[in-house]
Amino acid sequence: MLPVSLAAPLREALIAADFTYDAVSELLGPTAHEALGRNETTPGLRRTRSDEPLATLVRLFLLQASVPTEAAERALPGLVDRLAAAGVLTQSVGEVAARLDVRPYASEQGDLWVLSDLTPGLNGVATRVTGDYVLGISPASSSLAQLTLRHDVGSALDLGTGCGVQALHLATHADRVVATDVNARALAIARFNAALNDVDDKVEVRDGSFWGPVAGERFDLIATNPPFVISPASGERLVYRDSGLPGDQVVEHIVRGAADHLTDGGWCQVLANWVIETGTPWNERLAGWLPEECDAFVVQREVLEPASYVELWLKDSGHHPATGGDPATYAERYDTWLSWLESEGVAGIGFGWINLRRRAGVAPEGLVREMLEWPYDVEQPIAPTIGAWADSALAARDLTAETHLRLREDVVQETTGPAGAEDPATIVLRQQRGFRRAEQVDTVLAAVVGACDGDLSAGVLLDAVAQLLERDAAQLRTSYLPQLGDLVARGFLEPVPAPA
């Protein structure tokens, strides 16, 4: 068990060595840093040959190389024996090696450090993870961190905390954070990480499954990256990715129960996989999960066909022959998993975001719902755009001819057409931020949008364009006010107060 009494002295040693994300990146350089992202350590080992504390810590924890005991003592003064007794390090004659990963992590709120199990598969060495493996910083955890709203809240919940990285983020803008998990090793590591980052007075770690540990409680913000891998729930279970429930029931269970654990106006944000059934649109199926009291913004970012999905996760667990797995076992697992997906009518697996905002007492027709398929690049962090989404959608509903509109600063207009033509063939409005959406418009809408600087109302602008083009003003209002509303909802235009 990791004693939290080690956290403060370890933090002091890491700070003294400047073991931060920026310093490590500078030491490694672009080539070695990118290679480490591919699980290759040789370029990094070449860059860290000095016996300076920073180089020692990089070799020890990030590159998983043994270091001389003397160098380890300089980098971790008075801590080597204590960390070895706690299972963080292992000692042999004249050398020290890491048994756990300690990694610097840069967030918008400042430098953090995250302890987790070692990264498997470095340099192509076959590594099988155990059922209670505790995953560290991953693409999924980074995605959720960029998705999660960062406004100040009273209470926050990290459901399925793992190593606790989301709880560390939440602790920077929440008065109180609850972090839950069913993995005893994850709970111990999450507690240690909270202490390592000096937020253990804010973070309460609880044992339990799904909503069980917080029964009867409500939170202003819930962030969760649940064990969402879609499998037949048979065979070996890896707790960090497998829920023990078949299919996508874990995600459905979380989504359906979210409203009961949110304060009014509170958000639940879920990073998830879901089944796309043969013959059923993905958005139609997920719409049936959404709580009655919640606005919902669901974004499908990627779709994998079943065979690719199975291959991905068999490689992740170390069963693929290329990662040291037994070929016969791999083929058997592959066939079993794929056969189950086929028997369940799974045409594909979607990956994306489910964002819910509770608005108690609002009639169903008053709620805002959007199901967006968006595999394109977005601005990161995307959280500010998610937070503004519902307000923009509600503002679009309230739009009238008297509303004053302003074109958002990041929107540009692109025109294409034959050289020398008097009018463009196409006009496209394109966002430079957020979802970076593009909207094709006609000359009337382009003219109105181009004049939206907040000074004149939408109706006055439409009347002016009607007069200029010799069109019927009433007809233009009827046709184009809804289109202006759509541009408000999608973040191209914003309502502003009328000038005094």
Side-chain angles (χ1 to χ4, degrees):
M1 188 65 67
L2 281 167
V4 294
S5 59
L6 274 176
L10 177 58
R11 179 174 66 252
E12 292 173 4
L14 299 179
I15 292 172
D18 197 21
F19 192 56
T20 63
Y21 181 88
D22 289 343
V24 169
S25 296
E26 183 177 353
L27 174 63
L28 290 176
T31 299
H33 196 273
E34 291 170 9
L36 186 57
R38 302 189 300 270
N39 279 4
E40 296 291 342
T41 67
T42 299
L45 293 170
R46 291 168 58 86
R47 295 275 298 184
T48 56
R49 288 173 172 164
S50 80
D51 60 358
E52 293 297 317
L54 178 59
T56 298
L57 292 176
V58 171
R59 291 176 72 90
L60 180 63
F61 290 120
L62 305 189
L63 305 178
Q64 297 180 22
S66 297
V67 301
T69 300
E70 291 183 359
E73 290 284 7
R74 283 194 297 271
L76 300 164
L79 288 173
V80 171
D81 288 342
R82 295 173 67 189
L83 290 171
V88 179
L89 301 177
T90 183
Q91 296 174 292
S92 58
V93 179
E95 288 188 329
V96 174
R99 293 180 63 187
L100 293 175
D101 185 305
V102 179
R103 186 168 299 252
Y105 177 58
S107 75
E108 290 190 334
Q109 295 78 33
D111 292 315
L112 301 171
W113 296 274
V114 177
L115 183 142
S116 66
D117 278 322
L118 294 173
T119 302
L122 286 187
N123 303 316
V125 176
T127 308
R128 290 284 297 280
V129 298
T130 59
D132 61 354
Y133 177 82
V134 179
L135 184 68
I137 300 161
S138 67
S141 62
S142 297
S143 294
L144 181 57
Q146 292 170 323
L147 175 68
T148 304
L149 302 176
R150 296 299 171 205
H151 58 289
D152 291 338
V153 296
S155 59
L157 170 64
D158 176 10
L159 189 69
T161 190
C163 69
V165 64
Q166 304 304 329
L168 299 181
H169 278 288
L170 293 169
T172 65
H173 61 103
D175 296 333
R176 179 178 69 91
V177 179
V178 175
T180 69
D181 210 291
V182 295
N183 183 350
R185 293 189 67 250
L187 294 170
I189 287 175
R191 287 191 184 94
F192 187 87
N193 281 331
L196 181 61
N197 292 279
D198 200 22
V199 293
D200 47 324
D201 59 330
K202 282 189 171 185
V203 178
E204 179 189 355
V205 178
R206 299 182 190 174
D207 182 13
S209 179
F210 305 125
W211 298 117
V214 293
E217 295 182 60
R218 294 186 182 272
F219 299 87
D220 302 315
L221 178 61
I222 300 171
T224 179
N225 174 19
F228 56 60
V229 174
I230 294 170
S231 68
S234 60
E236 181 183 13
R237 178 188 174 198
L238 303 179
V239 177
Y240 76 92
R241 69 170 213 193
D242 300 318
S243 68
L245 298 175
D248 53 16
Q249 288 184 20
V250 59
V251 179
E252 180 181 359
H253 176 65
I254 289 171
V255 170
R256 289 185 182 277
D260 293 335
H261 297 279
L262 288 172
T263 58
D264 194 33
W267 286 82
C268 176
Q269 299 183 270
V270 188
L271 192 75
N273 278 181
W274 46 76
V275 166
I276 301 174
E277 294 179 341
T278 302
T280 303
W282 72 274
N283 51 352
E284 180 180 309
R285 183 167 179 271
L286 265 63
W289 298 355
L290 302 178
E292 292 182 356
E293 295 183 311
C294 290
D295 296 325
F297 188 17
V298 183
V299 184
Q300 182 162 275
R301 298 283 290 148
E302 183 181 6
V303 176
L304 286 180
E305 51 85 22
S308 297
Y309 188 79
V310 173
E311 292 164 15
L312 170 69
W313 291 110
L314 285 176
K315 288 177 181 177
D316 173 81
S317 61
H319 287 102
H320 195 283
T323 56
D326 174 64
T329 302
Y330 171 76
E332 181 182 357
R333 286 177 177 267
Y334 194 152
D335 182 64
T336 299
W337 199 336
L338 197 59
S339 296
W340 178 80
L341 291 173
E342 290 175 352
S343 70
E344 294 293 310
V346 177
I349 294 91
F351 169 83
W353 314 324
I354 301 175
N355 302 280
L356 307 169
R357 183 176 73 168
R358 184 174 182 266
R359 286 201 294 142
V362 176
E365 61 271 15
L367 295 172
V368 181
R369 301 282 173 89
E370 183 174 358
M371 315 286 280
L372 175 67
E373 185 150 13
W374 198 256
Y376 314 108
D377 287 339
V378 300
E379 180 188 25
Q380 293 291 6
I382 194 63
T385 302
I386 299 295
W389 159 81
D391 293 334
S392 294
L394 290 172
R397 291 182 177 181
D398 295 335
L399 184 112
T400 69
E402 305 306 315
T403 304
H404 289 244
L405 298 172
R406 181 170 58 205
L407 185 67
R408 291 186 182 266
E409 292 182 354
D410 68 302
V411 178
V412 298
Q413 179 177 298
E414 301 173 355
T415 59
T416 58
E422 183 176 347
D423 295 316
T426 59
I427 306 172
V428 174
L429 303 176
R430 191 178 301 277
Q431 298 170 341
Q432 305 300 299
R433 306 195 63 184
F435 278 94
R436 299 181 175 137
R437 302 196 206 208
E439 191 81 18
Q440 186 171 335
V441 297
D442 62 14
T443 54
V444 173
L445 198 55
V448 174
V449 168
C452 285
D453 59 6
D455 287 342
L456 299 175
S457 69
V460 170
L461 292 177
L462 283 167
D463 292 346
V465 171
Q467 184 177 6
L468 182 66
L469 299 178
E470 298 181 348
R471 300 273 297 273
D472 180 80
Q475 185 180 45
L476 248 62
R477 286 192 178 209
T478 301
S479 299
Y480 286 94
L481 275 175
Q483 294 184 52
L484 289 172
D486 289 341
L487 291 177
V488 170
R490 293 173 185 147
F492 290 88
L493 297 170
E494 57 185 350
V496 294

